[in-house]
């Protein structure tokens, strides 16, 4: 049976940690773990998911819940409550619902204080990891038969009816998702006609019916070229000489979005080396299976810009295509021949220097899973027996997650993010005395997860930004500062510092809080907003050269409403509790930030969500930040307009339900049949409550609260529904913890700010 281990090294000599592995999550298969009854529960959860997968695509983290509820001896003896359609929502009923939800959420905390949960749902994450292990010969040593069984289970469960796979688990089939998963199935041992429900043949038919893999997007072409299923001449040039450009030029790695530059860093190394894996019998078979014409007859030059219509979200401009062709025709022939090949040799050394720097400053986790496997492969190509590659192997487990739908690869874990939100939801419940141990452990995790140092050496020369005082999205070892995670982590520490130490532990030192404030202030841009990872320095014109056909706004960093709002809330409370530090700087920051948020309001009256779906998410964050700065419905017309717009989208059952299609289409699109989603209902409720809707008209909030209360399950959980996260406009992410956090949080704020006001 699979089980999760936390805060452990796994006794691997090639792994290091900055804080004793706090927050590390490792799934392992233990044949002796679990009773017969528990094994039956796991199988029942798997069957339930499979039977219902056409309706709910997201896992409910059933395996994790079974384990943690057992380890934490969970019992929810409080009877379930329901409210009739015409019945008044009473404070006593809300309190009962809250207590049941609080008990469950507390029982889902891991022993090191964080809340583990799935953060995945993207269908192009796992296959490249399998590709790299296949190439390096470590597939069978890293993945046991139990691993392979669960990897395949995940692919079978999320294969669309037409035989393909999308970018994410709720998306339509794409060439990128289908080709990568097809090849992955074959490398995991499935034959040409194997797989559950004829999965392999159905996927191959989808690929061939849609013109074959020559229509795969540029990232897919790169992976196929690495595998020997495509020719490098059919790929967009990625010259490593880019890393030799002087920093004063408008185009320089430091001016790019961190994910963009750290994806193309190892890609450019592999492109510069023209690395192709050894040609095996399987590769020869795949050449026939995934192409619609003989491999040796394909005109690679003609397919360089080809992209299947199912994948095309961000079309290339003519200027961009001319640029790629010019680099291929005019630059590459010279850079690969004497004497300019000496320049290429230097560029390859520089790219590897940057790769090693990023690896070492993230304890070989790297910034994310896409970059992880590319950097790992680059290290193997440089030295197949070297320590760098072995250290990469040791950190693969950090990315793996197992649930009832199978094994998947996470973006890089959301430990800090989920924990910071869970702590604030629990504090809002005003049940501190009942959960002091939970809060103390969570407080410990957050304090010890703060990054205490900047990246090593001359980090600016290595295109990095300061990180001292920040929090990451996952754990401290990851090392990459994230603005809203820093703000939410700081917010938790500030809130907990106001409670007795005997309940929640010692407060974070003021000096370390100041470090967090310093990095938040430094991230503010000219427009008043803040970026997610780094300050905005790139020119918007660079976005016209976005080479990734299925993602948008990925070339440069942008200022975001959610990050800005998180920062406002944390800075307002810091100024209140520590008026002798940064007061003038914070005043100026908030003034500029409010102006930024007002300018970011969408024509529909809401705010676009960059990291959650979509307008309900972005609007909650923004109204929360504006309210912290004193901007509510009675003194800010933008807030009034947002409230009116949110209310116009409320469903008859009192909830809200927004489709993920709102993200790529950039307009509010309801779920089919006007279904309500409980997490999005909580987003909308929280936004309206912050804006002061209870003073205007509390009835819509009563309706929403009734829906949440009546939707609570017998054990205090809430049902898993549609996917809730997004990145780069067009790819969705599953945050499994949200259903346990946000309905609880919304009801807690409802009890405090709505029921009390209406009673008065």
């Amino acid at each position: 049976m699979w089980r999760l281990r936390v805060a452990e090294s796994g006794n691997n000599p090639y792994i290091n940690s900055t804080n004793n592995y706090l927050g590390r999550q490792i799934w392992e298969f233990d044949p002796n773990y679990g009773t017969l009854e528990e094994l039956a529960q796991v199988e029942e959860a798997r069957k339930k998911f499979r039977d219902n997968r056409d309706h709910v695509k997201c896992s409910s983290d059933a395996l994790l819940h079974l384990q943690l509820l057992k380890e934490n001896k969970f019992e929810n003896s409080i009877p379930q409550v329901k409210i009739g359609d015409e019945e008044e929502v009473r404070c006593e009923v809300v309190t009962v619902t809250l207590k049941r939800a609080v008990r469950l959420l507390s029982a889902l905390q891991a022993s090191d204080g964080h809340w583990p949960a799935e953060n995945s749902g993207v269908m192009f994450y796992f296959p490249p990891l399998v590709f790299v292990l296949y190439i390096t010969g470590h597939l069978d040593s890293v993945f046991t038969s139990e691993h392979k069984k669960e990897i395949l289970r995940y692919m079978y469960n999320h294969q669309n009816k037409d035989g393909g796979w999308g970018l994410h688990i709720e998306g339509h089939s794409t060439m990128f998702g289908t080709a990568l998963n097809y090849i992955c199935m074959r490398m995991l041992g499935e034959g040409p006609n194997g797989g559950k429900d004829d999965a392999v043949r159905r996927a191959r038919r989808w690929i061939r019916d849609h013109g074959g893999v020559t229509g795969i997007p540029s990232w897919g072409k790169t992976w196929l070229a690495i595998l020997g299923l495509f020719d490098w001449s059919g790929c967009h040039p990625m010259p490593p000489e880019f890393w030799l450009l002087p920093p004063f030029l408008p185009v320089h790695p430091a001016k790019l979005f961190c994910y963009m530059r750290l994806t193309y860093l190892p890609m450019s190394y592999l492109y510069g080396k023209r690395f192709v894996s050894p040609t095996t019998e399987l590769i020869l078979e795949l050449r026939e299976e995934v192409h619609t014409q003989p491999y040796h007859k394909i005109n690679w030059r003609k397919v360089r810009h080809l992209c299947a219509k199912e994948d095309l979200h961000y079309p290339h401009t003519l200027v961009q295509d001319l640029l790629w062709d010019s680099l291929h025709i005019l630059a590459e022939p010279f850079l690969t021949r004497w004497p300019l090949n000496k320049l290429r040799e230097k560029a390859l050394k520089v790219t590897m220097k940057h790769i090693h720097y990023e690896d070492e400053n993230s304890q070989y986790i790297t910034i994310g899973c896409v970059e992880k496997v590319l950097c790992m492969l680059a290290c193997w190509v440089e030295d197949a027996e070297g320590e760098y590659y072995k250290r990469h192997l040791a950190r693969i487990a950090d990315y793996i997650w197992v649930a009832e739908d199978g094994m998947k690869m996470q973006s890089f874990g959301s430990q800090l993010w989920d924990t910071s939100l869970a702590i604030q939801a629990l504090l809002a419940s005003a049940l501190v005395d009942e959960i002091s141990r939970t809060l103390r452990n969570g407080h410990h995790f957050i304090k010890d997860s703060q990054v205490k140092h900047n990246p090593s050496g001359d980090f600016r020369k290595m295109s990095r930004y300061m990180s001292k005082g920040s929090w990451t999205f996952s754990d401290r070892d990851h090392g990459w500062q994230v603005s809203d995670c820093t703000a939410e982590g700081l917010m938790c520490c500030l809130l907990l510092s106001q409670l007795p130490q005997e309940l929640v532990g010692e407060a974070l030192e003021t000096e370390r809080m100041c470090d967090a404030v310093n990095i938040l202030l430094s991230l503010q841009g000219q427009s008043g907003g803040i970026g997610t990872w780094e300050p905005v320095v790139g020119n918007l014109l660079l976005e016209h050269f976005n080479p990734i056909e299925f993602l948008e706004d990925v070339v440069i960093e942008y200022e975001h409403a959610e990050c800005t709002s998180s920062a406002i809330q944390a800075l307002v409370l810091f100024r209140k509790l520590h008026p002798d530090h940064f007061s003038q700087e914070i005043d100026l920051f908030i003034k500029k930030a409010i102006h930024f948020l007002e300018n970011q309001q969408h024509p529909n009256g809401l705010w676009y969500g960059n990291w959650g779906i979509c307008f309900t998410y972005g609007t909650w964050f923004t109204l929360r930040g504006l309210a912290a700065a004193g901007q509510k419905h009675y003194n800010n017309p933008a807030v009034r307009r947002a409230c009116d717009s949110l209310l116009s989208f409320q469903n008859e059952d009192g909830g809200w339900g927004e489709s993920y299609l709102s993200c790529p289409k950039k307009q509010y699109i309801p779920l089919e049949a006007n279904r309500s989603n409980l997490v999005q209902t909580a987003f909308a409720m929280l936004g309206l409550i912050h804006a002061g809707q209870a003073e205007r008209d509390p009835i819509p909030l009563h309706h929403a609260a009734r829906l949440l209360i009546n939707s609570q399950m017998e054990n205090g959980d809430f049902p898993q529904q549609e996917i809730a996260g997004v990145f780069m406009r067009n790819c969705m992410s599953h945050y499994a913890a949200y259903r346990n956090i946000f309905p609880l949080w919304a009801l807690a704020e409802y009890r405090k700010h709505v029921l009390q006001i209406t009673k008065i």
Side-chain angles (χ1 to χ4, degrees), residues 318-555:
L318 178 61
V319 173
Q320 187 179 159
D321 287 344
L322 288 173
L323 172 64
W324 304 134
D325 289 341
S326 298
L327 285 171
H328 180 75
I329 296 169
L330 302 177
E332 282 300 308
F334 292 99
L335 290 169
T336 54
R337 292 179 174 84
W338 189 88
L340 288 182
N341 62 348
K342 299 298 181 182
L343 183 65
R344 170 134 303 178
E345 291 175 8
K346 179 181 178 180
L348 291 171
K349 290 179 180 178
V350 170
T351 55
M352 279 310 305
K353 180 181 178 182
H354 279 269
I355 289 170
H356 292 322
Y357 182 85
E358 291 298 330
D359 289 346
E360 290 164 6
N361 278 278
S362 65
Q363 309 303 317
Y364 289 81
I365 298 173
T366 75
I367 195 172
C369 66
V370 172
E371 298 74 18
K372 164 72 178 177
V373 291
L374 287 163
C375 289
M376 183 165 67
L377 179 59
C379 288
W380 183 82
V381 171
E382 182 194 37
D383 183 358
E385 301 298 326
E387 184 175 308
Y388 297 125
Y389 175 65
K390 293 175 182 177
R391 290 193 177 278
H392 265 295
L393 287 175
R395 282 290 191 174
I396 287 175
D398 293 65
Y399 282 96
I400 303 302
W401 194 263
V402 183
E404 69 270 24
D405 61 338
M407 179 176 287
K408 67 286 303 262
M409 195 171 188
Q410 302 205 106
S411 61
F412 55 94
S414 53
Q415 296 95 305
L416 185 282
W417 179 249
D418 289 338
T419 299
S420 67
L421 298 175
I423 289 290
Q424 291 180 75
L426 290 172
L427 288 172
S429 73
L431 299 171
V432 174
D433 291 338
E434 298 182 23
I435 52 171
S436 60
R437 181 180 177 183
T438 300
L439 294 173
R440 185 165 56 250
N441 291 342
H443 193 191
H444 167 73
F445 172 77
I446 291 174
K447 289 187 295 184
D448 281 6
S449 295
Q450 187 182 23
V451 178
K452 294 185 177 181
H453 303 284
N454 289 320
S456 61
D458 187 355
F459 58 88
R460 296 187 188 279
K461 185 177 180 180
M462 301 303 289
S463 303
R464 283 291 297 267
Y465 191 65
M466 65 181 181
S467 57
K468 182 181 179 181
S470 69
W471 276 272
T472 74
F473 189 62
S474 54
D475 56 23
R476 190 205 288 178
D477 283 345
H478 181 262
W480 266 90
Q481 70 286 343
V482 183
S483 61
D484 52 358
C485 296
T486 299
E488 301 298 341
L490 176 60
M491 189 69 187
C492 287
C493 291
L494 290 166
L495 290 169
L496 291 163
S497 72
Q498 301 175 77
L499 297 176
Q501 289 189 13
E502 58 268 22
L503 287 179
V504 299
E506 294 184 5
L508 184 70
E509 298 92 324
T510 302
E511 180 181 355
R512 289 174 60 186
M513 291 188 183
C514 288
D515 289 339
V517 171
N518 180 59
I519 199 166
L520 289 175
L521 293 173
S522 74
L523 288 169
Q524 189 170 43
Q526 293 182 350
S527 300
I530 64 174
T532 307
W533 282 270
E534 298 170 321
V536 176
V537 294
N539 192 302
L540 187 60
L541 291 174
L542 293 175
E543 200 63 56
H544 294 291
F545 295 93
N546 172 17
I548 308 171
E549 299 90 341
F550 56 87
L551 298 176
E552 187 177 352
D553 291 346
V554 294
V555 177

Side-chain angles (χ1 to χ4, degrees), residues 607-665:
W607 280 270
Y608 183 90
N610 294 277
W611 307 111
I613 299 171
C614 172
F615 289 99
T616 45
Y617 179 85
T619 302
W620 162 59
F621 260 104
T622 304
L623 292 177
R624 177 184 178 223
L626 289 173
Q631 305 295 306
K632 297 203 173 188
H633 73 91
Y634 53 78
N635 63 358
N636 190 312
V639 174
R640 284 197 299 276
R641 187 166 171 240
C643 291
D644 293 339
S645 184
L646 270 180
L647 293 171
S648 72
F649 291 114
Q650 189 173 24
N651 294 329
E652 289 186 6
D653 64 1
W656 281 260
E658 186 178 5
S659 168
Y660 77 83
L661 293 172
S662 295
C663 301
K665 295 184 180 297

Side-chain angles (χ1 to χ4, degrees), residues 3-4 27 33 63-71:
R3 66 187 302 183
L4 182 71
W27 282 94
Y33 179 70
L63 275 65
L64 174 75
H65 284 212
L66 285 171
Q67 176 183 333
L68 290 178
L69 296 182
K70 173 187 175 182
E71 292 176 354

